[in-house]
Amino acid sequence: MYKINDNFLKLPGSYLFSTIAKKVREFQEANPDKTVIRLGIGDVTQPLAPAIIEALHTAVDEMAHQDTFHGYAPDLGYEFLRSAIVEGDYRSRGVDIQEDEIFVSDGAKCDCSNIQELFSVDNRIAVCDPVYPVYVDSNVMAGRTGTYDAQTQTWSDVIYMPCTAENQFVPELPKETPDLIYICSPNNPIGSALTKEQLQVWVDYANEKGAVILFDAAYEAYISEEDVPHSIYECEGAKTCAIEMKSFSKNAGFTGMRLGYTVVPKELKQGEASLNAMWARRHGTKYNGAPYIIQKAGAAAYTPEGREQLQKQVAYYMNNASVIKEGLQQAGFEVYGGVNAPYIWLRVPAGMTSWEFFDDLLARANVVGTPGSGFGPSGEGYFRLTAFGTYENTVAAIERIKAL
Ligand code: MLT
């Protein structure tokens, strides 16, 4: 008789954003006359930039002709995209990353959740708290997290590193030693970012302890401050301890197109075992490559026109972030984030839990956000709003909240 992977049964409820979607659906069914504004999941709303659309059209036309048709993509991604990434995201910033250290995929979410397969089940993970739920949930599925305590909403084998207003949202080095350290900067959900100096502390720590940092840089395009690094490889020694994951979702509006990449440096080794070779083996076995037309569209993000158009898109969303931040501050909220990231993190009114605030905001303002406790125990008492809505909806949502 078959046996299931009963680690799945340990996961509480459904995935955070599925729970929210269900609640909103039920609210809409009960209140069909209400116009709900969604500032919950960080999904983009602006259409693809013209340079990307043009690249898509061209690639689609190529697929219609025998001599330009493309079947399976190369394991690691097309050379044209990997070299555009290396040049655009690394060499142009003085960071030495090679084409064969780049693995093109269908998005950072898959890479963030799959990367743990490289490590044995008895590795201990450390996560910031609050945290993007995918890191913990994927380790639960792999059997790496121990037992769940519903009271504290924590897993017994996970090392939580609280990030709250009290420590300026900067994780402190943990007392127990982790093997795998997840860091997201600019941060989802808080919207804060580590400076190069702060990140260097983690790189030094990981090298000293023999740990690996799994660095999620999905929101890199939103960095506005000089001292915030765009890649962990700007820190000295990061190539021997860090894997970096990046996405085209937030900087190029690819949430519905699916494209991302992971950097596994060749220096990253455990004895003779190269993590780069292991990930290449895994990629080649389990994945047949992002579609040609999507990779072509991704490469267009690195052309001069593409870059200019995408910078405008990022500025559009960051303008929304200012609208949210300033509006909430005027309404008397304590507000964080929104400077190097498209997320605003606010403290909910005293006496309310994050979920109570979610329900109240949905019922009275018909605005959807994300309860901080959904991202971990230290998220309790906080709430996240995304700047990825349209400008009009963002302004309307803030007016509604202020009117409460
Ligand atoms: C979020 O809202 O946290 C993100 O959009 C989720 C994701 O990128 O998968």
Side-chain angles (χ1 to χ4, degrees), residues 304-319:
E305 316 77 66
R307 274 183 181 284
E308 199 190 321
Q309 292 161 8
L310 294 181
Q311 271 164 13
K312 287 199 181 125
Q313 229 168 53
V314 165
Y316 174 93
Y317 291 130
M318 286 312 272
N319 182 49

Side-chain angles (χ1 to χ4, degrees), residues 234-272:
E234 288 177 37
C235 294
E236 212 172 303
K239 287 212 249 170
T240 52
C241 70
I243 291 175
E244 177 161 287
M245 290 157 284
K246 296 213 34 197
S247 167
F248 285 73
S249 289
K250 318 290 168 157
N251 67 324
F254 275 39
T255 53
M257 300 259 285
R258 309 310 308 149
L259 191 67
Y261 69 86
T262 285
V263 185
V264 189
K266 281 184 276 181
E267 283 99 316
L268 191 51
K269 286 186 169 173
Q270 175 66 278
E272 286 306 299

Side-chain angles (χ1 to χ4, degrees), residues 192-349:
S192 59
L194 296 179
T195 63
K196 187 170 167 189
E197 204 179 317
Q198 288 165 337
L199 190 56
Q200 185 67 56
V201 171
W202 283 96
V203 169
D204 293 343
Y205 173 79
N207 275 322
E208 183 200 322
K209 302 289 181 193
V212 174
I213 298 175
L214 303 168
F215 189 73
D216 183 349
Y219 299 92
E220 171 273 319
Y222 292 84
I223 293 172
S224 67
E225 290 181 322
E226 278 286 306
D227 56 352
V228 176
H230 289 254
S231 160
I232 194 166
Y233 304 115
E234 288 177 37
C235 294
E236 212 172 303
K239 287 212 249 170
T240 52
C241 70
I243 291 175
E244 177 161 287
M245 290 157 284
K246 296 213 34 197
S247 167
F248 285 73
S249 289
K250 318 290 168 157
N251 67 324
F254 275 39
T255 53
M257 300 259 285
R258 309 310 308 149
L259 191 67
Y261 69 86
T262 285
V263 185
V264 189
K266 281 184 276 181
E267 283 99 316
L268 191 51
K269 286 186 169 173
Q270 175 66 278
E272 286 306 299
S274 150
L275 270 69
N276 177 289
M278 287 167 66
W279 191 240
R281 183 69 172 86
R282 191 243 176 233
H283 223 55
T285 306
K286 293 197 172 184
Y287 187 58
N288 259 340
Y292 173 71
I293 57 175
I294 305 292
Q295 293 198 46
K296 272 289 189 190
Y302 293 95
T303 61
E305 316 77 66
R307 274 183 181 284
E308 199 190 321
Q309 292 161 8
L310 294 181
Q311 271 164 13
K312 287 199 181 125
Q313 229 168 53
V314 165
Y316 174 93
Y317 291 130
M318 286 312 272
N319 182 49
N320 288 348
S322 303
V323 167
I324 299 173
K325 196 163 181 171
E326 282 157 28
L328 292 178
Q329 275 165 344
Q330 283 161 19
F333 283 95
E334 193 181 315
V335 191
Y336 304 94
V339 175
N340 293 298
Y343 292 122
I344 307 295
W345 190 242
L346 59 125
R347 219 191 274 263
V348 304

Side-chain angles (χ1 to χ4, degrees), residues 15 105-119 125 127 131-139 144 180-185 188 214-219 243-247 258 260-263 279 282-283:
Y15 180 57
S105 73
D106 58 356
K109 183 178 185 179
C110 307
D111 285 355
C112 285
S113 56
N114 291 330
I115 199 74
Q116 46 77 28
E117 288 183 24
L118 293 183
F119 305 96
I125 67 161
V127 293
V131 67
Y132 180 42
V134 169
Y135 312 151
V136 176
D137 286 5
S138 56
N139 279 284
R144 201 173 280 117
L180 308 174
I181 304 163
Y182 286 86
I183 297 180
C184 177
S185 180
N188 177 17
L214 303 168
F215 189 73
D216 183 349
Y219 299 92
I243 291 175
E244 177 161 287
M245 290 157 284
K246 296 213 34 197
S247 167
R258 309 310 308 149
Y261 69 86
T262 285
V263 185
W279 191 240
R282 191 243 176 233
H283 223 55

